[in-house]
Amino acid sequence: MIPQWISNLVLVSPLQLQGTVILLFQPAEEAGNGAKRMIGDGALDDVEAIFAVHVSHEHPTGVIGSRPGALLAGCGFFRAVISGKKGRAGSPHHSVDPILAASAAVISLQGIVSRETNPLDSQVVSVTTMDGGNNLDMIPETVVLGGTFRAYSSTGFYKLLQRIEEVIVEQASVFRCSATVDFFEKESTIYPPTVNDDHMYEHVRKVATDLLGPANFRVVPPMMGAEDFSFYTQVVPAAFYYIGVRNETLGSIHTGHSPYFMIDEDVLPIGAATHATIAERYLIER
Ligand SMILES: *[C@@H]1O[C@H](CO)[C@@H](O)[C@H](O)[C@H]1NC(C)=O
């Protein structure tokens, strides 16, 4: 059955429409910087605006959500190797202890966000792994620690990257250790913040409100997750929006990264109509 809202679609004569709509699918979206390579291959040449839709288990089926400005954080990962000198734990003065150096580094890393960053500029540094082996009687030669960092502005993001390296290297040297920090730049795991252009956001809000009614549009809070679409937002005016797929009767209540993830398929015509109307009205009104 065709839902009632289909009748809200604006029909225009072909003469009113001028322009080309390009559909981009996202290769290597979860890791590998697919969008960056798409841009490198010319996907955005002559493109003047770009829009993306993403399912959300947080909003009921068919509800659209977005916000102007920064919507998702920039994301990076780091792994540090702190090197000391292996030795018997009973005679610590004959060794150089990377465990103590790593511990101090973990504590000091927490000072970057809490003491150096504007509290209104949200950032995250999380150390998620620390490995010094498993010998209870030996001070290890090295400790490997790593984690992730997030920020909403590109300047904040690269400042954070620089400070993570400085804090680990210098804190290691306090305890006579040396350290190297890898940010996996070559493996393409760095994602910039996803920032919605004010006008493109407003266009999405207007289309969603006209098509689905004001009750079906929400201004959503920013999130510290990251998104490959961010690369596109750096190149052309862009808007990224969510469409709800949550239906508790069906059980479509799990995040996109859950093994239980599923969608309420009733969302498909709503999402298709919204996305198509965003493109159509953009061409009419530009
Ligand atoms: C959830 O899905 C069921 C089964 O398709 C449907 O009957 C119900 O109307 C849906 N609920 C909402 C809130 O969309």
Side-chain angles (χ1 to χ4, degrees):
M1 198 180 98
I2 296 174
Q4 180 61 36
W5 49 263
I6 282 284
S7 65
N8 293 339
L9 275 173
V10 185
L11 294 176
V12 291
S13 84
L15 285 178
Q16 285 176 266
L17 276 179
Q18 286 200 5
T20 304
V21 177
I22 300 172
L23 301 181
L24 291 184
F25 297 89
Q26 281 183 291
E29 185 253 337
E30 282 303 327
N33 289 178
K36 197 174 169 183
R37 296 183 199 194
M38 292 284 278
I39 294 167
D41 284 350
L44 291 194
D45 292 358
D46 301 325
V47 166
E48 59 185 70
I50 186 166
F51 303 94
V53 56
H54 192 294
V55 293
S56 169
H57 70 292
E58 290 180 19
H59 309 300
T61 298
V63 168
I64 305 286
S66 191
R67 70 175 294 105
L71 176 67
L72 291 159
C75 169
F77 296 93
F78 64 95
R79 185 193 284 133
V81 179
I82 298 179
S83 304
K85 182 167 166 255
K86 190 172 182 158
R88 300 229 155 262
S91 306
H93 56 298
H94 291 313
S95 61
V96 175
D97 186 0
I99 295 269
L100 182 59
S103 305
V106 171
I107 301 290
S108 292
L109 284 171
Q110 293 309 309
I112 303 174
V113 173
S114 70
R115 302 290 81 183
E116 299 179 20
T117 305
N118 183 335
L120 296 176
D121 179 13
S122 301
Q123 298 190 355
V124 170
V125 176
S126 290
V127 176
T128 55
T129 168
M130 193 160 158
D131 183 6
N134 55 13
N135 188 330
L136 301 185
D137 196 34
M138 290 292 283
I139 287 164
E141 182 82 13
T142 58
V143 168
V144 177
L145 67 83
T148 182
F149 58 105
R150 313 285 164 103
Y152 274 115
S153 66
S154 281
T155 39
F157 182 80
Y158 286 101
K159 181 82 188 144
L160 202 50
L161 183 152
Q162 178 203 334
R163 287 295 292 146
I164 287 169
E165 175 157 24
E166 285 170 3
V167 165
I168 293 173
V169 168
E170 300 200 7
Q171 199 53 263
S173 83
V174 169
F175 294 95
R176 300 175 296 151
C177 291
S178 61
T180 55
V181 187
D182 183 5
F183 292 96
F184 308 103
E185 276 131 321
K186 287 203 188 70
E187 287 88 344
S188 305
T189 56
I190 287 183
Y191 287 87
T194 302
V195 182
N196 278 344
D197 176 85
D198 286 352
H199 293 111
M200 298 308 140
Y201 158 79
E202 183 52 25
H203 179 67
V204 167
R205 190 199 62 75
K206 223 168 44 183
V207 170
T209 306
D210 288 353
L211 197 61
L212 307 171
N216 287 315
F217 182 83
R218 293 177 180 175
V219 180
V220 299
M223 270 173 41
M224 295 313 286
E227 169 55 53
D228 178 70
F229 185 75
S230 57
F231 289 105
Y232 297 135
T233 73
Q234 293 188 314
V235 180
V236 290
F240 182 92
Y241 66 94
Y242 297 105
I243 188 162
V245 295
R246 186 183 189 87
N247 180 323
E248 284 173 21
T249 316
L250 284 176
S252 55
I253 57 171
H254 303 281
T255 82
H257 297 272
S258 160
Y260 301 107
F261 171 73
M262 60 173 282
I263 68 165
D264 178 352
E265 292 188 4
D266 284 353
V267 78
L268 293 172
I270 306 173
T274 305
H275 222 41
T277 309
I278 283 169
E280 186 185 50
R281 260 181 65 177
Y282 179 87
L283 290 179
I284 296 169
E285 292 172 6
R286 81 200 231 268

PDB file of all heavy atoms in Angstrom, residues 6 19 22 44-45 53 55 57-58 73-74 78 82 89 91 95 99 104 120 128 136 138 167 169 188 227 267 280 284:
ATOM      1  N   ILE A   6       2.961  10.016   0.233  1.00  0.00           N
ATOM      2  CA  ILE A   6       3.430  10.045  -1.157  1.00  0.00           C
ATOM      3  C   ILE A   6       2.718  11.155  -1.921  1.00  0.00           C
ATOM      4  O   ILE A   6       3.272  11.800  -2.796  1.00  0.00           O
ATOM      5  CB  ILE A   6       3.173   8.672  -1.844  1.00  0.00           C
ATOM      6  CG1 ILE A   6       4.231   7.666  -1.398  1.00  0.00           C
ATOM      7  CG2 ILE A   6       3.180   8.782  -3.352  1.00  0.00           C
ATOM      8  CD1 ILE A   6       5.590   7.859  -2.044  1.00  0.00           C
ATOM      9  N   GLY A  19      19.997  20.224 -14.241  1.00  0.00           N
ATOM     10  CA  GLY A  19      21.106  19.761 -13.428  1.00  0.00           C
ATOM     11  C   GLY A  19      21.174  18.256 -13.456  1.00  0.00           C
ATOM     12  O   GLY A  19      20.323  17.595 -14.048  1.00  0.00           O
ATOM     13  N   ILE A  22      23.858  12.892  -9.033  1.00  0.00           N
ATOM     14  CA  ILE A  22      24.795  11.764  -9.029  1.00  0.00           C
ATOM     15  C   ILE A  22      24.569  10.967  -7.742  1.00  0.00           C
ATOM     16  O   ILE A  22      24.445  11.555  -6.669  1.00  0.00           O
ATOM     17  CB  ILE A  22      26.259  12.277  -9.064  1.00  0.00           C
ATOM     18  CG1 ILE A  22      26.498  13.110 -10.320  1.00  0.00           C
ATOM     19  CG2 ILE A  22      27.238  11.117  -8.985  1.00  0.00           C
ATOM     20  CD1 ILE A  22      27.852  13.798 -10.335  1.00  0.00           C
ATOM     21  N   LEU A  44      33.648  14.115  -6.922  1.00  0.00           N
ATOM     22  CA  LEU A  44      33.007  15.399  -6.605  1.00  0.00           C
ATOM     23  C   LEU A  44      33.337  16.500  -7.616  1.00  0.00           C
ATOM     24  O   LEU A  44      32.975  17.651  -7.404  1.00  0.00           O
ATOM     25  CB  LEU A  44      33.397  15.870  -5.197  1.00  0.00           C
ATOM     26  CG  LEU A  44      32.843  15.057  -4.020  1.00  0.00           C
ATOM     27  CD1 LEU A  44      33.015  15.816  -2.715  1.00  0.00           C
ATOM     28  CD2 LEU A  44      31.379  14.679  -4.207  1.00  0.00           C
ATOM     29  N   ASP A  45      34.001  16.135  -8.707  1.00  0.00           N
ATOM     30  CA  ASP A  45      34.290  17.159  -9.728  1.00  0.00           C
ATOM     31  C   ASP A  45      32.970  17.738 -10.226  1.00  0.00           C
ATOM     32  O   ASP A  45      32.046  16.990 -10.559  1.00  0.00           O
ATOM     33  CB  ASP A  45      35.059  16.534 -10.905  1.00  0.00           C
ATOM     34  CG  ASP A  45      36.466  16.097 -10.487  1.00  0.00           C
ATOM     35  OD1 ASP A  45      36.836  16.324  -9.312  1.00  0.00           O
ATOM     36  OD2 ASP A  45      37.174  15.501 -11.328  1.00  0.00           O
ATOM     37  N   VAL A  53      22.137  10.127   3.780  1.00  0.00           N
ATOM     38  CA  VAL A  53      21.166   9.639   4.757  1.00  0.00           C
ATOM     39  C   VAL A  53      21.734   8.381   5.415  1.00  0.00           C
ATOM     40  O   VAL A  53      22.371   7.564   4.755  1.00  0.00           O
ATOM     41  CB  VAL A  53      19.788   9.378   4.093  1.00  0.00           C
ATOM     42  CG1 VAL A  53      19.883   8.415   2.925  1.00  0.00           C
ATOM     43  CG2 VAL A  53      18.770   8.888   5.115  1.00  0.00           C
ATOM     44  N   VAL A  55      20.792   5.345   8.532  1.00  0.00           N
ATOM     45  CA  VAL A  55      19.743   4.816   9.422  1.00  0.00           C
ATOM     46  C   VAL A  55      20.106   5.065  10.887  1.00  0.00           C
ATOM     47  O   VAL A  55      21.274   5.149  11.246  1.00  0.00           O
ATOM     48  CB  VAL A  55      19.504   3.305   9.207  1.00  0.00           C
ATOM     49  CG1 VAL A  55      18.903   3.046   7.849  1.00  0.00           C
ATOM     50  CG2 VAL A  55      20.778   2.508   9.426  1.00  0.00           C
ATOM     51  N   HIS A  57      18.812   3.747  14.880  1.00  0.00           N
ATOM     52  CA  HIS A  57      17.922   2.948  15.733  1.00  0.00           C
ATOM     53  C   HIS A  57      17.366   3.800  16.875  1.00  0.00           C
ATOM     54  O   HIS A  57      16.584   3.322  17.665  1.00  0.00           O
ATOM     55  CB  HIS A  57      18.687   1.760  16.305  1.00  0.00           C
ATOM     56  CG  HIS A  57      19.713   2.167  17.320  1.00  0.00           C
ATOM     57  ND1 HIS A  57      20.836   2.874  16.983  1.00  0.00           N
ATOM     58  CD2 HIS A  57      19.746   2.015  18.666  1.00  0.00           C
ATOM     59  CE1 HIS A  57      21.529   3.117  18.079  1.00  0.00           C
ATOM     60  NE2 HIS A  57      20.895   2.609  19.114  1.00  0.00           N
ATOM     61  N   GLU A  58      17.808   5.062  16.949  1.00  0.00           N
ATOM     62  CA  GLU A  58      17.358   5.899  18.067  1.00  0.00           C
ATOM     63  C   GLU A  58      16.044   6.603  17.779  1.00  0.00           C
ATOM     64  O   GLU A  58      15.372   7.059  18.704  1.00  0.00           O
ATOM     65  CB  GLU A  58      18.427   6.943  18.405  1.00  0.00           C
ATOM     66  CG  GLU A  58      19.661   6.328  19.042  1.00  0.00           C
ATOM     67  CD  GLU A  58      20.723   7.355  19.379  1.00  0.00           C
ATOM     68  OE1 GLU A  58      20.390   8.560  19.458  1.00  0.00           O
ATOM     69  OE2 GLU A  58      21.882   6.954  19.536  1.00  0.00           O
ATOM     70  N   ALA A  73      32.201  13.549  15.272  1.00  0.00           N
ATOM     71  CA  ALA A  73      33.571  13.942  15.611  1.00  0.00           C
ATOM     72  C   ALA A  73      34.574  13.453  14.577  1.00  0.00           C
ATOM     73  O   ALA A  73      34.294  12.546  13.804  1.00  0.00           O
ATOM     74  CB  ALA A  73      33.931  13.376  16.981  1.00  0.00           C
ATOM     75  N   GLY A  74      35.760  14.074  14.592  1.00  0.00           N
ATOM     76  CA  GLY A  74      36.910  13.506  13.905  1.00  0.00           C
ATOM     77  C   GLY A  74      37.444  12.380  14.767  1.00  0.00           C
ATOM     78  O   GLY A  74      37.325  12.426  16.001  1.00  0.00           O
ATOM     79  N   PHE A  78      45.787   5.645  18.016  1.00  0.00           N
ATOM     80  CA  PHE A  78      47.235   5.696  18.232  1.00  0.00           C
ATOM     81  C   PHE A  78      47.706   4.426  18.920  1.00  0.00           C
ATOM     82  O   PHE A  78      46.950   3.780  19.645  1.00  0.00           O
ATOM     83  CB  PHE A  78      47.629   6.928  19.067  1.00  0.00           C
ATOM     84  CG  PHE A  78      47.066   6.932  20.476  1.00  0.00           C
ATOM     85  CD1 PHE A  78      47.815   6.445  21.545  1.00  0.00           C
ATOM     86  CD2 PHE A  78      45.794   7.420  20.719  1.00  0.00           C
ATOM     87  CE1 PHE A  78      47.302   6.452  22.837  1.00  0.00           C
ATOM     88  CE2 PHE A  78      45.267   7.417  22.016  1.00  0.00           C
ATOM     89  CZ  PHE A  78      46.024   6.939  23.078  1.00  0.00           C
ATOM     90  N   ILE A  82      56.593   1.894  24.304  1.00  0.00           N
ATOM     91  CA  ILE A  82      57.473   2.499  25.307  1.00  0.00           C
ATOM     92  C   ILE A  82      58.537   1.463  25.653  1.00  0.00           C
ATOM     93  O   ILE A  82      58.210   0.332  26.056  1.00  0.00           O
ATOM     94  CB  ILE A  82      56.668   2.921  26.551  1.00  0.00           C
ATOM     95  CG1 ILE A  82      55.627   3.979  26.144  1.00  0.00           C
ATOM     96  CG2 ILE A  82      57.597   3.441  27.650  1.00  0.00           C
ATOM     97  CD1 ILE A  82      54.749   4.459  27.271  1.00  0.00           C
ATOM     98  N   ALA A  89      62.376  -8.445  38.537  1.00  0.00           N
ATOM     99  CA  ALA A  89      61.534  -7.497  39.259  1.00  0.00           C
ATOM    100  C   ALA A  89      62.043  -7.269  40.691  1.00  0.00           C
ATOM    101  O   ALA A  89      61.799  -6.218  41.281  1.00  0.00           O
ATOM    102  CB  ALA A  89      60.095  -7.992  39.281  1.00  0.00           C
ATOM    103  N   SER A  91      65.067  -6.818  41.544  1.00  0.00           N
ATOM    104  CA  SER A  91      66.180  -5.855  41.531  1.00  0.00           C
ATOM    105  C   SER A  91      65.877  -4.742  40.532  1.00  0.00           C
ATOM    106  O   SER A  91      66.518  -4.650  39.478  1.00  0.00           O
ATOM    107  CB  SER A  91      67.486  -6.554  41.125  1.00  0.00           C
ATOM    108  OG  SER A  91      67.717  -7.675  41.948  1.00  0.00           O
ATOM    109  N   SER A  95      67.093  -2.466  36.003  1.00  0.00           N
ATOM    110  CA  SER A  95      66.282  -2.386  34.783  1.00  0.00           C
ATOM    111  C   SER A  95      65.751  -0.958  34.612  1.00  0.00           C
ATOM    112  O   SER A  95      65.966  -0.096  35.467  1.00  0.00           O
ATOM    113  CB  SER A  95      65.114  -3.380  34.850  1.00  0.00           C
ATOM    114  OG  SER A  95      64.290  -3.066  35.948  1.00  0.00           O
ATOM    115  N   ILE A  99      56.668  -0.123  32.435  1.00  0.00           N
ATOM    116  CA  ILE A  99      55.314  -0.180  33.009  1.00  0.00           C
ATOM    117  C   ILE A  99      55.015   1.114  33.776  1.00  0.00           C
ATOM    118  O   ILE A  99      53.942   1.708  33.623  1.00  0.00           O
ATOM    119  CB  ILE A  99      55.180  -1.389  33.986  1.00  0.00           C
ATOM    120  CG1 ILE A  99      55.322  -2.711  33.237  1.00  0.00           C
ATOM    121  CG2 ILE A  99      53.876  -1.293  34.770  1.00  0.00           C
ATOM    122  CD1 ILE A  99      54.049  -3.319  32.719  1.00  0.00           C
ATOM    123  N   ALA A 104      52.364   6.432  33.963  1.00  0.00           N
ATOM    124  CA  ALA A 104      52.409   7.894  34.062  1.00  0.00           C
ATOM    125  C   ALA A 104      51.853   8.530  32.784  1.00  0.00           C
ATOM    126  O   ALA A 104      51.143   9.540  32.834  1.00  0.00           O
ATOM    127  CB  ALA A 104      53.841   8.350  34.310  1.00  0.00           C
ATOM    128  N   LEU A 120      34.055  23.763  26.290  1.00  0.00           N
ATOM    129  CA  LEU A 120      32.916  23.800  25.365  1.00  0.00           C
ATOM    130  C   LEU A 120      33.247  23.154  24.019  1.00  0.00           C
ATOM    131  O   LEU A 120      32.388  23.033  23.156  1.00  0.00           O
ATOM    132  CB  LEU A 120      32.453  25.245  25.161  1.00  0.00           C
ATOM    133  CG  LEU A 120      31.919  25.900  26.445  1.00  0.00           C
ATOM    134  CD1 LEU A 120      31.566  27.353  26.202  1.00  0.00           C
ATOM    135  CD2 LEU A 120      30.701  25.144  26.973  1.00  0.00           C
ATOM    136  N   THR A 128      42.818   2.425  25.466  1.00  0.00           N
ATOM    137  CA  THR A 128      41.963   1.231  25.473  1.00  0.00           C
ATOM    138  C   THR A 128      42.741  -0.068  25.578  1.00  0.00           C
ATOM    139  O   THR A 128      42.157  -1.129  25.746  1.00  0.00           O
ATOM    140  CB  THR A 128      41.122   1.177  24.181  1.00  0.00           C
ATOM    141  OG1 THR A 128      42.024   1.242  23.076  1.00  0.00           O
ATOM    142  CG2 THR A 128      40.144   2.340  24.113  1.00  0.00           C
ATOM    143  N   LEU A 136      55.141 -12.412  35.848  1.00  0.00           N
ATOM    144  CA  LEU A 136      54.929 -11.731  37.122  1.00  0.00           C
ATOM    145  C   LEU A 136      56.246 -11.394  37.836  1.00  0.00           C
ATOM    146  O   LEU A 136      56.257 -10.620  38.778  1.00  0.00           O
ATOM    147  CB  LEU A 136      54.053 -12.596  38.044  1.00  0.00           C
ATOM    148  CG  LEU A 136      52.658 -12.945  37.508  1.00  0.00           C
ATOM    149  CD1 LEU A 136      51.864 -13.686  38.576  1.00  0.00           C
ATOM    150  CD2 LEU A 136      51.907 -11.695  37.080  1.00  0.00           C
ATOM    151  N   MET A 138      59.209 -10.424  36.103  1.00  0.00           N
ATOM    152  CA  MET A 138      60.160  -9.664  35.280  1.00  0.00           C
ATOM    153  C   MET A 138      59.599  -8.284  34.925  1.00  0.00           C
ATOM    154  O   MET A 138      58.411  -8.143  34.639  1.00  0.00           O
ATOM    155  CB  MET A 138      60.422 -10.395  33.948  1.00  0.00           C
ATOM    156  CG  MET A 138      61.223 -11.688  34.051  1.00  0.00           C
ATOM    157  SD  MET A 138      62.929 -11.412  34.542  1.00  0.00           S
ATOM    158  CE  MET A 138      63.625 -10.823  33.010  1.00  0.00           C
ATOM    159  N   VAL A 167      53.082  14.036  24.937  1.00  0.00           N
ATOM    160  CA  VAL A 167      52.881  13.591  26.324  1.00  0.00           C
ATOM    161  C   VAL A 167      53.472  12.199  26.530  1.00  0.00           C
ATOM    162  O   VAL A 167      54.155  11.941  27.524  1.00  0.00           O
ATOM    163  CB  VAL A 167      51.374  13.630  26.693  1.00  0.00           C
ATOM    164  CG1 VAL A 167      51.105  12.842  27.959  1.00  0.00           C
ATOM    165  CG2 VAL A 167      50.911  15.072  26.845  1.00  0.00           C
ATOM    166  N   VAL A 169      55.864  10.600  24.682  1.00  0.00           N
ATOM    167  CA  VAL A 169      57.324  10.597  24.532  1.00  0.00           C
ATOM    168  C   VAL A 169      57.990  11.249  25.756  1.00  0.00           C
ATOM    169  O   VAL A 169      58.952  10.721  26.324  1.00  0.00           O
ATOM    170  CB  VAL A 169      57.730  11.319  23.223  1.00  0.00           C
ATOM    171  CG1 VAL A 169      59.229  11.584  23.173  1.00  0.00           C
ATOM    172  CG2 VAL A 169      57.292  10.497  22.010  1.00  0.00           C
ATOM    173  N   SER A 188      45.145   4.679   6.730  1.00  0.00           N
ATOM    174  CA  SER A 188      43.883   5.417   6.501  1.00  0.00           C
ATOM    175  C   SER A 188      42.855   5.196   7.602  1.00  0.00           C
ATOM    176  O   SER A 188      41.721   4.833   7.341  1.00  0.00           O
ATOM    177  CB  SER A 188      43.264   5.001   5.162  1.00  0.00           C
ATOM    178  OG  SER A 188      44.175   5.178   4.128  1.00  0.00           O
ATOM    179  N   GLU A 227      32.481   9.430  10.859  1.00  0.00           N
ATOM    180  CA  GLU A 227      31.797   9.041   9.628  1.00  0.00           C
ATOM    181  C   GLU A 227      32.667   9.377   8.429  1.00  0.00           C
ATOM    182  O   GLU A 227      33.227  10.461   8.335  1.00  0.00           O
ATOM    183  CB  GLU A 227      30.448   9.789   9.612  1.00  0.00           C
ATOM    184  CG  GLU A 227      29.661   9.776   8.337  1.00  0.00           C
ATOM    185  CD  GLU A 227      29.377   8.385   7.804  1.00  0.00           C
ATOM    186  OE1 GLU A 227      28.846   7.548   8.562  1.00  0.00           O
ATOM    187  OE2 GLU A 227      29.666   8.150   6.630  1.00  0.00           O
ATOM    188  N   VAL A 267      10.593   1.833   6.299  1.00  0.00           N
ATOM    189  CA  VAL A 267      11.321   3.091   6.139  1.00  0.00           C
ATOM    190  C   VAL A 267      11.777   3.299   4.688  1.00  0.00           C
ATOM    191  O   VAL A 267      12.037   4.429   4.272  1.00  0.00           O
ATOM    192  CB  VAL A 267      12.560   3.122   7.076  1.00  0.00           C
ATOM    193  CG1 VAL A 267      13.712   2.283   6.518  1.00  0.00           C
ATOM    194  CG2 VAL A 267      13.000   4.545   7.337  1.00  0.00           C
ATOM    195  N   GLU A 280      15.626  16.895  -5.838  1.00  0.00           N
ATOM    196  CA  GLU A 280      14.720  17.561  -6.774  1.00  0.00           C
ATOM    197  C   GLU A 280      14.525  19.036  -6.387  1.00  0.00           C
ATOM    198  O   GLU A 280      14.647  19.934  -7.221  1.00  0.00           O
ATOM    199  CB  GLU A 280      13.392  16.812  -6.742  1.00  0.00           C
ATOM    200  CG  GLU A 280      12.377  17.257  -7.743  1.00  0.00           C
ATOM    201  CD  GLU A 280      11.057  16.517  -7.518  1.00  0.00           C
ATOM    202  OE1 GLU A 280      10.579  16.477  -6.373  1.00  0.00           O
ATOM    203  OE2 GLU A 280      10.522  15.996  -8.484  1.00  0.00           O
ATOM    204  N   ILE A 284      15.419  22.706  -8.203  1.00  0.00           N
ATOM    205  CA  ILE A 284      14.394  23.709  -8.525  1.00  0.00           C
ATOM    206  C   ILE A 284      14.746  25.058  -7.896  1.00  0.00           C
ATOM    207  O   ILE A 284      14.589  26.101  -8.522  1.00  0.00           O
ATOM    208  CB  ILE A 284      13.006  23.258  -7.997  1.00  0.00           C
ATOM    209  CG1 ILE A 284      12.562  21.994  -8.709  1.00  0.00           C
ATOM    210  CG2 ILE A 284      11.967  24.370  -8.186  1.00  0.00           C
ATOM    211  CD1 ILE A 284      11.353  21.336  -8.063  1.00  0.00           C
TER     212      ILE A 284
END
